[in-house]
Amino acid sequence: KSKIRVHTPIVEMDGDEMTRVMWHMVKEKLLLPYLDIPVAYYDLHVSHRDKTDDQVTVDASKAIMKYGVGVKCATITPNEDRVREYGLKKAWKSPNATIRALLDGTVFRKPIPVRNIRPAVSSWKKPIIIGRHAYGDVYNNIEIRVDGPGMAELVFTPLMGEPIRQTIHFFKNPGILQGIHNTDESIVSFARSCFAFALDQKIDLWFSTKDTISKIYDGRFREVFAQEYETSWREAFQNAGIEYFFTLIDDAVARIMKSEGGILWALKNYDGDVMSDMIASANGSLAMMTSVLVSPSGYFEYEAAHGTVQKHYYKHLKGEETSSNSTALIFAWSGGLRKRGELDATPDVVFFADQLEAATLETIESGIMTGDLLLVADPNPDNRKVNTESFIEAIALNLDRKLI
Ligand code: NAD
């Protein structure tokens, strides 16, 4: 059979450990047999990042700006253990933080529902989508470990005028310090992309921060969202029958637990990081969630929201059988391909992406599952735990049937 041709190159960012193993299986068994696909390949394996002094991550981000759509495998964010394990020059920054700092924007994370796995929270009837601000805060921080007594100050030196100086703390003993920032420009684009996404999907938008405690920092986020809503979105929201709702983050967490779902929950960078794992896990597994970075300049980066599944990788290296779930990696590819097809106006590529997702869901719904899913699926005598490779092969069989 002839292959479907993808016109514009997709930026492919390879990764680490078990997700790298699965990434190659997905390409070999689910993509390359069906697609004639040009890729701009960047190897973000931690050793290659080290070898290039992390230039490869910057180059990959620039390639996304050139071509518009990127697909990323999970990668190690090195800590001291990883520096030793891989003999790295230093603990390089998180590649995701580097990419997000360059592209800016918002990460939208949406659970992947299947019929035979019910959310752990019984009131959730519709997906809760997280809109995570992808720039700044603790992900672009500066930290100091204070060894002894001294004064910590926050200083802003304007290009013109007098510095602004505030005392943070007088240390009598050792301690820790952190400086974080955000920009009005990034917060505005975060707000806009959330309003636009909620309107597009016709769902309510919630935004929550801790502005009672962080009156200036979190307060600015709240202010920007309110201004954006009043000036540009109120009327369209009313016409669409949807709402914008701000509440304190602790109140939002309490309400989410009792809500029906079907909302976009906009969150600052760290809050979104934490809450998206909670939502994914309550929907069965970290691998049952899609994640896309939408930049204000119109670039899209699709990824799995989970990590490199380190423990499975060590088993894999010892030659033991693993049962790792490739669903989020497959959906990273299908999301990227669908967007590429939309931008290139190639409906056959969009059709392929739809079939790939349908084949994956049908496989799980037929009871063929990886270990993480078997633990949470509705009990059924047809349920069968398969290994990493067999799961992908079962999807390939379903996909074959659909594409004949
Ligand atoms: P992890 O997401 O790899 O694993 C957390 C837990 O979820 C583990 O119990 C794991 O077995 C399970 N899990 C996650 N994905 C799974 C899958 N596809 N199938 C089956 N089970 C799955 O996170 P971690 O263990 O905290 O981190 C491992 C490495 O991943 C670290 O080096 C970290 O820096 C990196 N990381 C990368 C990203 C990313 O690139 N997006 C995100 C988080 C962590």
Side-chain angles (χ1 to χ4, degrees):
K1 68 198 159 201
S2 67
K3 292 188 184 184
I4 298 167
R5 199 163 87 80
V6 179
H7 283 244
T8 312
I10 289 196
V11 180
E12 175 187 356
M13 289 160 281
D14 210 339
D16 288 299
E17 299 195 315
M18 201 60 209
T19 41
R20 185 182 181 96
V21 175
M22 289 193 272
W23 190 258
H24 288 261
M25 289 179 186
V26 166
K27 275 191 78 179
E28 189 197 320
K29 295 189 190 295
L30 299 177
L31 304 178
L32 298 180
Y34 309 99
L35 298 175
D36 178 4
I37 175 175
V39 292
Y41 179 84
Y42 293 85
D43 189 356
L44 301 196
H45 187 283
V46 69
S47 302
H48 192 236
R49 278 181 270 145
D50 192 59
K51 199 171 143 202
T52 62
D53 292 339
D54 213 15
Q55 184 60 35
V56 65
T57 311
V58 176
D59 292 345
S61 312
K62 288 187 179 155
I64 299 175
M65 295 181 199
K66 176 172 174 196
Y67 293 112
V69 179
V71 186
K72 182 181 169 290
C73 182
T75 45
I76 289 171
T77 298
N79 54 17
E80 284 314 310
D81 289 343
R82 300 300 206 155
V83 169
R84 273 193 300 278
E85 183 180 359
Y86 286 90
L88 307 176
K89 293 175 203 157
K90 65 177 219 186
W92 301 101
K93 262 175 65 178
S94 147
N96 289 319
T98 302
I99 296 167
R100 287 170 199 156
L102 288 168
L103 300 186
D104 200 349
T106 306
V107 178
F108 293 101
R109 291 194 168 155
K110 185 175 184 179
I112 304 169
V114 281
R115 273 199 291 272
N116 45 349
I117 297 175
R118 276 170 241 268
V121 180
S122 55
S123 63
W124 292 356
K125 306 278 180 260
K126 292 175 253 171
I128 294 165
I129 303 169
I130 301 281
R132 170 184 170 190
H133 186 204
Y135 179 83
D137 301 354
V138 66
Y139 300 85
N140 297 84
N141 65 0
I142 294 293
E143 299 187 314
I144 297 175
R145 191 166 160 159
V146 173
D147 289 331
M151 175 79 94
E153 290 179 302
L154 189 61
V155 183
F156 174 68
T157 314
L159 277 183
M160 295 209 281
E162 287 303 303
I164 303 170
R165 190 178 287 271
Q166 295 219 23
T167 302
I168 298 171
H169 186 66
F170 185 83
F171 284 90
K172 295 193 188 107
N173 295 303
I176 42 182
L177 260 175
Q178 169 168 255
I180 60 171
H181 80 281
N182 226 299
T183 66
D184 278 11
E185 191 185 9
S186 181
I187 302 168
V188 168
S189 77
F190 168 45
R192 282 185 187 154
S193 54
C194 289
F195 283 113
F197 189 93
L199 188 61
D200 178 61
Q201 307 263 317
K202 298 242 180 324
I203 51 178
D204 289 348
L205 170 64
W206 291 15
F207 180 49
S208 48
T209 66
K210 194 71 178 175
D211 67 313
T212 43
I213 299 298
S214 168
K215 291 186 174 25
I216 293 181
Y217 200 104
D218 280 20
R220 183 69 188 135
F221 276 82
R222 179 179 180 169
E223 226 167 65
V224 166
F225 267 73
Q227 278 165 3
E228 261 303 304
Y229 181 62
E230 290 305 330
T231 52
S232 310
W233 303 91
R234 179 185 274 282
E235 210 181 305
F237 266 48
Q238 277 168 355
N239 291 340
I242 56 175
E243 266 188 5
Y244 167 62
F245 173 56
F246 175 86
T247 187
L248 269 184
I249 184 142
D250 28 0
D251 181 49
V253 168
R255 284 169 187 261
I256 282 283
M257 285 300 159
K258 295 187 175 158
S259 91
E260 269 207 350
I263 55 169
L264 171 63
W265 187 12
L267 289 160
K268 287 172 58 202
N269 210 343
Y270 173 80
D271 301 338
D273 189 357
V274 177
M275 290 304 165
S276 60
D277 274 16
M278 182 195 74
I279 302 274
S281 159
N283 280 281
S285 158
L286 296 190
M288 297 305 281
M289 176 164 265
T290 61
S291 178
V292 55
L293 171 68
V294 180
S295 111
S297 317
Y299 314 127
F300 298 84
E301 186 231 352
Y302 295 80
E303 52 155 22
H306 59 72
T308 58
V309 209
Q310 185 179 4
K311 288 195 191 104
H312 292 204
Y313 182 59
Y314 293 155
K315 279 174 81 179
H316 171 80
L317 285 182
K318 281 196 253 164
E320 292 171 23
E321 188 161 85
T322 56
S323 181
S324 318
N325 188 343
S326 47
T327 303
L329 295 174
I330 295 169
F331 273 66
W333 274 106
S334 59
L337 285 164
R338 182 180 295 106
K339 180 54 73 182
R340 193 66 271 165
E342 285 168 8
L343 295 175
D344 292 346
T346 47
D348 48 349
V349 175
V350 175
F351 176 78
F352 176 82
D354 292 344
Q355 300 312 306
L356 177 58
E357 289 183 1
T360 308
L361 301 181
E362 280 168 25
T363 304
I364 299 170
E365 287 175 352
S366 74
I368 299 176
M369 300 178 182
T370 46
D372 55 327
L373 298 181
L374 196 75
L375 284 173
V376 292
D378 292 344
N380 187 316
D382 289 339
N383 286 354
R384 188 153 59 88
K385 176 178 166 182
V386 292
N387 68 32
T388 306
E389 192 160 17
S390 306
F391 181 66
I392 294 169
E393 279 164 357
I395 296 169
L397 272 181
N398 278 336
L399 184 60
D400 249 350
R401 239 174 277 147
K402 288 175 173 298
L403 294 174
I404 283 171

